[in-house]
Amino acid sequence: MSSGHHTADIQSHIKVYMTVFAALAALTIITVAASYMDLSTGEAIFLALTIASVKGSLVASYFMHLISERALITWILMLTAGFFFVLMFIPMASFIDQAQVG
Amino acid sequence: MDIPYTVEERPDTGLFNAKLGVWLFLASEVMLFGGLFSAYVFLRYGAPVGAFHEWGQELNIPLATLNTLILISSSVTMVMSWASLKLNDFKKYKLYMGLTLLCALGFLIIKYIEYTAKFDHHIYPSTNTFYAIYFTLTGLHGLHIIGGMIVLYYFWIPGSKMWESKPEQFTNRIEIAGLYWHFVDLVWIFLFPVLYLL
Amino acid sequence: MGAPTHHEVSFYRKYIWSTDHKIIGLQYGITALIFLLVGFLLMMIMRWQLAYPESAVPLVGSIFGEDGMLLPEIYNSLGAMHGTIMIFLGIVPLAVGAFGNYIVPLQIGAPDMAFPKINAASYWCYFVGGVVMMSSFFTAEGAARSGWTSYPPLADFEVGQTMWLIGMIFLITSSLLGSINFITTIIQLRAPGLTWMRLPFFVWAQFVTSFLLVLAFPPLEAAAVLQLMDRVAGTSFFLPSGLVVSGEVLGVSGGGSPLLWQHLFWFLAHPEVYVLILPAMGIIAEVIANNTRKPLWGYNSLVFAVVFLGFMSFIVWAHHMFITGMGTTMSAFFQTTTMIISIPSIIILSAFFISLWGASIRFNTPMLFALAFLPMFGIGGLTGLPLGFAAADIYLHDTYYVIGHFHYVVAPGTIFGLFAGIYYWYPKITGRKMSELLGKLHFWPSLIFMNGVFMPMFIQGLAGVSRRLWDGGLEYAHASGVLHWNEFMSISAWLLGLAQLPFIFNIFYSLKRGEKVDKNPWGATTLEWTAPSPPLPHVNFEKIPEVHRVAYEYSVPGRKRDFTPQTEPKKG
């Protein structure tokens, strides 16, 4: 039984879900519109990933209830995120580092 | 004796077993898609400057945007189906779960349209590294959608009988299934801009 | 909670699709031991070739061609499959699947794992993966032959690789299901009073191991999918542009990179080596505490070290890639993290050594293997240091030195730990002790011949003999001075094989003739020894234990017995 989810709680949650839905839809339109702007590649990547991160955080925090979830889960996810970033950046970094040699 | 904390939460962790289990599974999935995203980064770096952006121009942004909105909607209907159970409204649960499945089906149909359009234009995974990673990432994501649909269908029809005998455990299962489903949505939230917009 | 319900279960539900962690643990154990034997046999065949390069292999030679000679392709296949089978079908399923499954729920006072059905599924997934891997030998193309490391571009074309990739996907899935189960079980199902710092070190080791598996395996699964795509869908994930194969430019799009495979592969494969060693270290901890009749020295340090080790293991992987033309920044980074990771290993080994000081050592078979582990793992670990230095590694990479290093850690390292565990927990599992005489007949020759096989490899490696050479280096002038060691190593290997016979016999013999024991034949403190031998089906304990003490209260002054079980209440 999930903790403390009474009827009134759930009703207020539903309001939140709808708000988040609207925000996600809006951010989707924004990110598509932004892609037509004249930005450098680096700027475009930064903007797209930032918007995606906001959208992702909304899904995780509210639909997946992470915002009220136990600390243990958040710790596991932070650990995972850490290694995820290692996997993203280190191979790329070694590619760049290598290119400089020869 | 039964396994403890299958339904009720363990006091010091505040979790029931399946919730911890599914989050660990999702952590592994982050690393799985992470491996593929890492490949994307590496391959993009290795390609001629601007090549990935150029090759990506062939992709259909309007269709994919529609798909993004469809998947986000399915996430809302999914969480609403769980909320309905918490409010003891089994009929609403069936409605929202059905809508979730409908959205998922719509997503797959659009994907099918996209893929066949590519093949008609002789664009395949073997065409270049961009399309190789595009088809692999979206393909694996699609497989996750299909897998999710199978589980959700089970909970929609055959498995929904559990509501009558063990409503709390059934509600927990829907929450767990929902977590998986939201994750699949989350992956797409990153896939969409990376593949289609950059 | 009351008396366990008795209901008629079919043979199928009791022994085939069982959800009891003890049965599943035994399924894993038996399957893994058979695979270890198979992997060992493959190596014994290879070692004939190395000892006597131009002569027919006896007994099995007829399989390899008319004149019974080991063709280079066959040698490469045996090599690739030896590594694959030993690591993925043998050691990890035994260390984690068997020992972990059987012992962890017992040591934490739980009736079973958190997800018993998923547990059964993980075993059968492993089984299917094993069948796929082994059946590859019988396909027209034969088994994989690109090394267990499956580097492209070779692995993108070579025969046998598709089955290997499919087999790996099953094995990785099995591993993921298992590790999720372990982590949830250890967090959620600890008995009342069993706080984190009261856990036996074996449980900590399995806990960290499971984190390594759950987070490190998926990138390899991703890479396996990519390599499969290269093989069947014509993609160029790992194929660079302009690649020439057999004199012709390859008709693929190109643009890919073999280095991408190496990064994704080693991202898993480095943590994998810690998966190989940690459960064994856990076993050694249990056996040493029990047979020194003293608490383990430095429990807190051990816990800190194993957690730190687990974390560090994710950021050292490219020390396997020093010779890929890496720049100085990245090689400095990886060299640094690699040096740092040696520290927790040293802490753990030192704690074990110090635990012997002032001890009343019982030299039974499990303890003999545990004691031997210490210097053997020491050699393995120390020989890793030159490999961790980028400059030295340039010379030593892909030589026999590496083979010597990692075999010391896994063979007289992990495998000795696993042997110790089998002798130690056999009484709990079967209700009988294994024969001490046969145990010693197993131990002493094994120790001697392990060193006979692997010590000369350092000599050959330092002389520059490359690994994976089907003729053992015969064609290279720089190897000529050290090739005579090949025969010595091969004979040691075959004698090592013979030394396992008393062990195999002992397992079966003791089932019927072993000394019968009660709950706690070794006078141990941890929870598994409060359950019957064997523990009750499905529930393990007559009633759920309550824990009042830390894990290793041995020889506490002023007490009657030289051990105090964790369940014994504190007075007052």
Side-chain angles (χ1 to χ4, degrees):
Chain A
M1 211 327 235
S2 307
S3 54
H5 281 134
H6 308 295
T7 310
D9 273 349
I10 305 289
Q11 295 289 15
S12 66
H13 280 187
I14 292 177
K15 275 214 182 72
V16 173
Y17 300 148
M18 293 307 161
T19 315
V20 170
F21 176 40
L24 289 171
L27 286 167
T28 304
I29 305 302
I30 291 175
T31 200
V32 174
S35 72
Y36 290 104
M37 282 164 38
D38 192 18
L39 300 167
S40 74
T41 311
E43 286 166 340
I45 291 174
F46 177 76
L47 188 59
L49 287 180
T50 305
I51 297 176
S53 302
V54 172
K55 289 169 77 180
S57 306
L58 286 172
V59 170
S61 303
Y62 296 104
F63 289 167
M64 297 171 91
H65 305 123
L66 250 190
I67 203 154
S68 52
E69 194 47 270
R70 292 293 158 149
L72 173 62
I73 302 287
T74 317
W75 278 112
I76 292 173
L77 290 175
M78 292 212 297
L79 185 68
T80 308
F83 293 135
F84 175 85
F85 285 117
V86 166
L87 189 56
M88 282 311 111
F89 289 118
I90 301 276
M92 177 175 79
S94 63
F95 191 101
I96 297 170
D97 195 40
Q98 175 158 3
Q100 308 212 350
V101 172
Chain B
M1 68 198 74
D2 285 325
I3 312 283
Y5 310 121
T6 313
V7 179
E8 76 281 6
E9 290 147 357
R10 184 184 158 106
D12 61 353
T13 61
L15 299 165
F16 59 95
N17 299 339
K19 179 167 281 191
L20 179 55
V22 79
W23 275 112
L24 288 166
F25 172 64
L26 295 182
S28 80
E29 292 271 84
V30 168
M31 298 309 288
L32 178 69
F33 281 99
L36 293 180
F37 275 111
S38 175
Y40 172 89
V41 172
F42 204 83
L43 290 169
R44 183 167 176 143
Y45 245 100
V49 180
F52 263 42
H53 179 77
E54 199 189 304
W55 289 329
Q57 297 301 312
E58 291 294 317
L59 291 176
N60 190 329
I61 295 180
L63 266 184
T65 309
L66 178 60
N67 245 359
T68 307
L69 293 167
I70 288 176
L71 210 55
I72 292 173
S73 306
S74 78
S75 252
V76 183
T77 54
M78 180 74 226
V79 77
M80 286 305 295
S81 73
W82 170 78
S84 304
L85 285 179
K86 297 296 286 183
L87 293 171
N88 250 298
D89 195 338
F90 189 69
K91 277 214 177 71
K92 278 258 175 68
Y93 155 77
K94 288 280 236 180
L95 170 68
Y96 280 118
M97 187 57 95
L99 283 173
T100 309
L101 280 163
L102 194 63
C103 287
L105 190 61
F107 183 90
L108 287 179
I109 290 172
I110 292 181
K111 268 253 89 46
Y112 174 79
I113 294 171
E114 273 191 282
Y115 275 19
T116 46
K118 292 284 157 305
F119 299 151
D120 283 344
H121 285 91
H122 304 292
I123 295 176
Y124 304 103
S126 52
T127 302
N128 55 46
T129 48
F130 173 78
Y131 280 103
I133 195 70
Y134 166 79
F135 279 110
T136 308
L137 263 169
T138 55
L140 189 65
H141 178 260
L143 283 176
H144 278 78
I145 297 256
I146 294 173
M149 281 176 78
I150 294 171
V151 171
L152 293 184
Y153 177 79
Y154 171 77
F155 284 132
W156 191 43
I157 312 283
S160 64
K161 280 193 233 52
M162 198 197 228
W163 172 253
E164 280 143 42
S165 51
K166 295 186 225 167
E168 247 176 58
Q169 195 170 351
F170 184 69
T171 308
N172 282 354
R173 287 190 168 189
I174 300 305
E175 186 181 6
I176 301 302
L179 284 173
Y180 171 81
W181 191 255
H182 297 307
F183 177 76
V184 175
D185 182 25
L186 219 155
V187 172
W188 182 260
I189 283 174
F190 284 92
L191 267 186
F192 169 60
V194 168
L195 291 174
Y196 288 85
L197 304 179
L198 288 178
Chain C
M1 171 201 80
T5 50
H6 292 286
H7 48 274
E8 279 305 304
V9 213
S10 63
F11 177 84
Y12 174 78
R13 283 302 305 272
K14 205 168 173 201
Y15 295 116
I16 311 289
W17 178 262
S18 169
T19 54
D20 183 334
H21 73 100
K22 299 184 291 298
I23 304 291
I24 296 172
L26 286 172
Q27 288 175 321
Y28 265 108
I30 295 168
T31 314
L33 284 168
I34 293 173
F35 276 125
L36 281 176
L37 195 58
V38 169
F40 194 87
L41 288 170
L42 295 184
M43 176 276 296
M44 289 209 286
I45 299 171
M46 288 165 71
R47 285 243 54 110
W48 178 276
Q49 171 76 1
L50 293 171
Y52 311 116
E54 264 127 20
S55 68
V57 183
L59 294 175
V60 293
S62 47
I63 307 174
F64 304 118
E66 289 136 24
D67 42 357
M69 301 270 287
L70 210 48
L71 293 163
E73 308 88 82
I74 305 290
Y75 179 90
N76 292 343
S77 238
L78 295 181
M81 294 308 286
H82 166 79
T84 305
I85 291 171
M86 288 307 222
I87 295 173
F88 296 113
L89 299 182
I91 303 275
V92 179
L94 183 57
V96 183
F99 279 105
N101 256 315
Y102 201 104
I103 303 295
V104 167
L106 290 170
Q107 279 196 339
I108 63 172
D112 208 311
M113 299 282 275
F115 309 118
K117 293 201 198 94
I118 291 185
N119 207 9
S122 85
Y123 170 74
W124 286 107
C125 221
Y126 155 59
F127 185 83
V128 169
V131 167
V132 169
M133 283 290 188
M134 294 310 297
S135 62
S136 68
F137 277 109
F138 303 102
T139 58
E141 327 186 304
R145 57 174 73 144
S146 309
W148 79 282
T149 50
S150 300
Y151 280 10
L154 181 68
D156 271 18
F157 311 110
E158 245 317 0
V159 298
Q161 191 64 19
T162 304
M163 292 280 272
W164 188 93
L165 292 165
I166 295 173
M168 283 308 294
I169 290 176
F170 277 103
L171 295 174
I172 295 174
T173 305
S174 162
S175 215
L176 289 174
L177 293 175
S179 51
I180 291 169
N181 218 345
F182 274 96
I183 296 174
T184 308
T185 302
I186 293 172
I187 291 178
Q188 295 280 103
L189 299 189
R190 283 165 294 129
L194 189 52
T195 56
W196 287 98
M197 298 313 270
R198 286 178 173 174
L199 280 176
F201 185 70
F202 179 75
V203 179
W204 272 109
Q206 291 282 355
F207 185 64
V208 173
T209 300
S210 291
F211 264 104
L212 300 185
L213 289 171
V214 81
L215 295 178
F217 247 132
L220 178 59
E221 189 154 35
V225 169
L226 298 182
Q227 196 171 84
L228 263 175
M229 293 283 288
D230 271 9
R231 288 179 70 83
V232 306
T235 52
S236 300
F237 285 112
F238 307 125
L239 300 173
S241 305
L243 188 64
V244 175
V245 176
S246 303
E248 280 177 26
V249 179
L250 213 51
V252 291
S253 67
S257 169
L259 283 180
L260 176 60
W261 169 269
Q262 291 195 29
H263 279 296
L264 294 175
F265 177 83
W266 287 113
F267 186 86
L268 174 268
H270 190 84
E272 179 73 9
V273 316
Y274 293 101
V275 169
L276 292 173
I277 194 65
L278 288 182
M281 283 178 162
I283 297 175
I284 299 298
E286 302 302 309
V287 172
I288 286 184
N290 178 249
N291 288 298
T292 52
R293 312 311 290 168
K294 281 179 69 202
L296 271 185
W297 188 92
Y299 176 86
N300 291 358
S301 311
L302 283 169
V303 171
F304 167 77
V306 79
V307 171
F308 183 66
L309 183 80
F311 179 80
M312 289 300 295
S313 72
F314 280 94
I315 52 177
V316 298
W317 82 84
H319 65 224
H320 299 271
M321 297 169 61
F322 280 140
I323 47 75
T324 58
M326 204 181 251
T328 48
T329 315
M330 292 316 290
S331 42
F333 172 78
F334 281 109
Q335 179 176 283
T336 309
T337 52
T338 305
M339 287 303 117
I340 293 174
I341 205 176
S342 68
I343 297 173
S345 288
I346 293 172
I347 292 176
I348 294 174
L349 198 64
S350 304
F352 289 162
F353 266 115
I354 299 174
S355 297
L356 302 176
W357 182 262
S360 307
I361 300 183
R362 301 189 306 198
F363 290 95
N364 47 43
T365 307
M367 189 58 166
L368 287 174
F369 277 105
L371 288 172
F373 172 92
L374 300 179
M376 295 295 100
F377 175 75
I379 293 173
L382 287 172
T383 52
L385 289 174
L387 296 173
F389 284 114
D393 187 68
I394 305 276
Y395 181 72
L396 294 170
H397 180 85
D398 261 358
T399 65
Y400 261 86
Y401 184 93
V402 180
I403 305 188
H405 156 70
F406 69 70
H407 277 95
Y408 258 95
V409 205
V410 188
T414 294
I415 296 185
F416 273 21
L418 299 178
F419 284 149
I422 292 176
Y423 285 98
Y424 182 61
W425 278 308
Y426 187 95
K428 177 53 55 187
I429 298 171
T430 62
R432 289 176 187 269
K433 267 191 181 173
M434 291 175 80
S435 149
E436 275 295 317
L437 174 62
L438 289 172
K440 278 147 182 147
L441 274 177
H442 175 213
F443 172 73
W444 288 107
S446 292
L447 179 61
I448 294 167
F449 297 126
M450 280 283 191
N451 284 284
V453 182
F454 299 117
M455 186 60 76
M457 288 191 181
F458 297 123
I459 300 171
Q460 289 198 331
L462 284 165
V465 180
S466 300
R467 60 189 289 196
R468 294 178 174 148
L469 295 176
W470 75 289
D471 62 0
L474 208 53
E475 296 179 40
Y476 294 103
H478 65 266
S480 54
V482 294
L483 284 187
H484 64 274
W485 284 109
N486 276 333
E487 188 179 15
F488 177 82
M489 293 194 281
S490 297
I491 294 173
S492 300
W494 300 322
L495 291 173
L496 180 62
L498 282 178
Q500 307 314 303
L501 293 178
F503 172 63
I504 298 172
F505 179 73
N506 201 351
I507 291 181
F508 291 106
Y509 171 84
S510 307
L511 277 176
K512 296 287 178 210
R513 302 296 178 94
E515 174 199 333
K516 274 199 182 160
V517 297
D518 205 347
K519 284 182 179 175
N520 194 358
W522 302 116
T525 54
T526 45
L527 293 182
E528 75 271 34
W529 304 103
T530 67
S533 305
L536 299 175
H538 289 290
V539 296
N540 291 335
F541 302 92
E542 285 129 353
K543 67 179 182 69
I544 290 288
E546 254 183 50
V547 174
H548 300 276
R549 295 167 187 279
V550 295
Y552 307 114
E553 286 199 4
Y554 289 101
S555 300
V556 178
R559 298 207 189 140
K560 249 194 325 204
R561 290 185 304 180
D562 73 342
F563 73 99
T564 312
Q566 285 190 276
T567 46
E568 190 152 311
K570 293 197 164 148
K571 293 195 191 46

